[in-house]
Amino acid sequence: STASEQTGTEAESQWPRKLTDMNGREVELPKPAASAFGAGPPATTLIYTFGADQLAGWNGKLSGSLLPYLSDAAKNKPELGRASGKDGTFNPEALLDKGVDVIFDAGDLGEQYRQMADDLQAQSGIPTMQFSTDLDKLPEVYRLMGQVFDDAERAEELAAYVERVWTEVDAKAST
C-alpha cells in the first residue's frame, strides 16, 4: 500500500524517517533510536527523563549526591564525555562502539548552533538532533523525542505531565 492509503499510525511508523529538529535542521533517522548520546548535560538529562534505557552514557563522572536517585542500570552507564560546551571530551568512535543511534544537543538555538550540530553529525556519522532548553518548549521537546524513539505514548505522558504542572502552578500563582 502507498503512504497515502495508510492510516496515520501506519504512516508515522515508517522508517527511515525525516524529522525537523527544533533548530530547523532536517535529520534523517534510519530506524527508531534505541540508544542516544547527550552532547552535554542538558541533553543527557532529557534522555534520562524520557527513559534511562535509551541513555547511552554519561558526560562525566557521576557525583556521589546523584547516586541514590539513579537506578542500578543508570549508575553503571559508561562515561562517554561531552561533545558540547567548554569541556568537549568525547570520541566519536566510542559512540559507534556503544551502538549510539542518535546524538541529542540541547540549549540555545540559532545559526551558530546549527553549524555545530552539522559539524558534530559529520564528524561522528550519527544523526544529530537539536532541542531547545526553554522550559515552555519542554512538551514539544518530549513529543519530538517520542518520534525519534518511536514511543509516542511515553512522549505524550511526559508532555501532558509538564503541561498539567504548569497549569497548576499558573493557577496557584494567580490566586
Side-chain angles (χ1 to χ4, degrees), residues 7 17-18 23 43 52 84 88 100 106 115 117 128 133 135 172 174:
T7 66
R17 179 180 290 178
K18 285 186 181 176
N23 208 2
S84 65
V100 172
Q115 186 60 53
T128 301
T133 50
L135 287 177
K172 289 180 181 179
S174 65

Side-chain angles (χ1 to χ4, degrees), residues 69-119:
Y69 303 101
L70 300 176
S71 68
D72 287 340
K75 290 175 193 174
N76 293 319
K77 298 277 183 179
E79 184 179 330
L80 297 175
R82 72 186 275 175
S84 65
K86 63 184 185 307
D87 301 320
T89 57
F90 94 113
N91 174 348
E93 284 138 21
L95 300 184
L96 294 170
D97 290 346
K98 297 293 182 193
V100 172
D101 298 311
V102 66
I103 297 172
F104 287 171
D105 191 15
D108 294 331
L109 302 175
E111 185 55 41
Q112 171 187 357
Y113 300 101
R114 182 179 294 117
Q115 186 60 53
M116 290 169 63
D118 289 343
D119 292 347

Side-chain angles (χ1 to χ4, degrees), residues 132-145:
S132 172
T133 50
D134 290 342
L135 287 177
D136 63 337
K137 302 277 188 196
L138 195 53
E140 181 183 349
V141 168
Y142 282 130
R143 289 181 177 116
L144 185 53
M145 289 175 71

Side-chain angles (χ1 to χ4, degrees), residues 128-165:
T128 301
M129 299 283 298
Q130 288 187 296
F131 298 93
S132 172
T133 50
D134 290 342
L135 287 177
D136 63 337
K137 302 277 188 196
L138 195 53
E140 181 183 349
V141 168
Y142 282 130
R143 289 181 177 116
L144 185 53
M145 289 175 71
Q147 293 178 53
V148 172
F149 292 122
D150 204 21
D151 190 349
E153 184 177 335
R154 176 67 175 155
E156 194 52 40
E157 175 188 358
L158 290 165
Y161 172 78
V162 170
E163 291 166 342
R164 186 177 70 251
V165 168

